[in-house]
Every structure is written in C-alpha cells, then in structure tokens.
Amino acid sequence: MTTVSAAPATDPKRRIVDRFHEVNGVHPMTEADDAYVSAQFVTLERLCEVRGRDADAVRGLMLAGRLPLPGYLRSDGAEMVPADLFALADEAGGVDLLEAWFTAHWPADPATGQAEWDAYLSGQYVCLHTVTPATIQRKERLTGAIDAAMDEPDAGSAPWSARLHALVDELDALEPAFTAYDRIRFGGPTSRDTCVDAIRARHPRR
C-alpha cells in the first residue's frame, strides 16, 4: 500500500490553504459553488501562466501581505483569483508601491484606508466585479444611501421610489450574484441580499 505524505509546512500552496482557512473558516464547497466560482474567477496557476509569473512567487507575495489571498478555494483545491489580480499593483507602479497607493485613496481617514487595505488583502472582496479603491468607496456610499433612504420624509412616494431604485440599480451593477458559500463564511446575508434583492421585493419599482 502506497502512503502519500502530506505537503511540508513550507510548501507555499499548503501555506495558502492554511491561511485561507484561517481567514474564512473551513466550509465545504458544493457543486453549485464550484460552478459559480469557475465562471467568475480563474485559477492562480492559469493566471500566472498567462501573465508569465511564477505561481509560488505570487503565493509568497500573498503570504507576505503584499497581494490579496485567493477569493475562493474550489473543492478540487484550486486557488481561485480574479482575472485582474495584478491590475492594481500594475497601476500603482509595482507591488512595493501598492499599499501606499491604495491607502492614499482615503487621505482624510488613514484608519479606514488601512482597514480597507487589510480587507483587500484578505481576498474577501468578492462582493465587487472589479475591486479598486473607487469601487470600494462607491459601494460603501450606495449601501449607506440605500439604508438612509428608508427614513426619508417622502418614503413611499414615486419620486422617492425612483431615487431608491437608481441607487439599487447602480449597486446591482457593481456586485456579482454571490454563492451559498459566501453566506456561510460571512455568517449571514450578503449586501446583495439586503440592499438589492430585499429592497426590490419590499419596494417594487413604481
């Protein structure tokens, strides 16, 4: 009988798996989850092949907190990342400049900038089709405005409904559908559930 030894703790892929589970918890992916993720993301190995990068070197940058972790681990173990994983680093002028470039988008609130950087590195910004400081900020403004709209003096009126649905439509365009795995690891409904689907169900377009 052949015994397959476990990957050593120093193996970058094994370390990525461990770090991913540390951040997200250990939750099984269903066939539906896998299908969703495969349609929305690309494997790290494939992206590195296309971009001419060494996958283990990229894993090292992830583990060092210089690039975000994978957004998902597919049930076959594939590390799933956005196709534009390297876009922000390229725009910033390189990985070494990325953190300063990213956090500078919150000049009046450095603490928030640092918190958003940490969230970006976690790989959990799967709530946006394209993750940039601008889309992160816009999503925050939209969800805040949608929540605040419930208490506006003319709530329920036709003009209010038009304003509300303009906000919801814009958020809808920013966000993907999510999958059941997300609702498990995040411990509840997603922003799409609460700020898009639920709002449209409770306040139909007039």
Side-chain angles (χ1 to χ4, degrees):
M1 178 177 178
T2 301
T3 300
V4 179
S5 59
T10 55
D11 176 62
K13 187 167 185 176
R14 178 69 257 171
R15 292 175 62 201
I16 287 290
V17 171
D18 291 343
R19 178 63 180 144
F20 181 91
H21 288 154
E22 180 183 335
V23 170
N24 295 280
V26 180
H27 310 292
M29 291 278 283
T30 66
E31 288 186 15
D33 293 330
D34 283 345
Y36 170 85
V37 170
S38 295
Q40 298 280 341
F41 294 80
V42 63
T43 67
L44 177 61
E45 295 282 357
R46 176 58 179 159
L47 181 62
C48 288
E49 179 184 344
V50 170
R51 292 293 300 269
R53 291 175 177 259
D54 179 77
D56 277 348
V58 172
R59 292 182 181 106
L61 292 172
M62 292 175 170
L63 293 165
R66 299 171 70 194
L67 282 176
L69 291 170
Y72 300 89
L73 289 182
R74 212 166 52 190
S75 60
D76 63 0
E79 304 135 298
M80 305 303 291
V81 297
D84 62 354
L85 174 66
F86 304 118
L88 291 191
D90 291 344
E91 187 173 348
V95 171
D96 291 342
L97 302 175
L98 179 55
E99 180 177 0
W101 175 88
F102 187 101
T103 56
H105 286 79
W106 287 267
D109 191 354
T112 295
Q114 189 60 50
E116 292 293 357
W117 170 252
D118 293 341
Y120 170 68
L121 289 180
S122 75
Q124 292 187 337
Y125 257 123
V126 296
C127 55
L128 292 165
H129 287 296
T130 302
V131 182
T132 69
T135 57
I136 291 169
Q137 291 168 342
R138 188 57 186 158
K139 178 196 170 184
E140 183 71 18
R141 294 189 189 104
L142 287 168
T143 54
I146 291 167
D147 287 341
M150 300 301 106
D151 297 322
E152 289 178 356
D154 64 340
S157 69
W160 173 86
S161 179
R163 294 196 308 272
L164 175 66
H165 282 279
L167 295 170
V168 171
D169 290 348
E170 186 177 351
L171 182 62
D172 184 12
L174 287 178
E175 293 196 332
F178 295 95
T179 190
Y181 172 83
D182 293 316
R183 294 169 179 89
I184 294 172
R185 68 164 158 177
F186 296 142
T190 66
S191 54
R192 169 170 288 281
D193 295 331
T194 58
C195 292
V196 177
D197 296 340
I199 295 296
R200 285 173 172 166
R202 290 201 308 269
H203 305 284
R205 196 184 302 270
R206 296 183 59 174

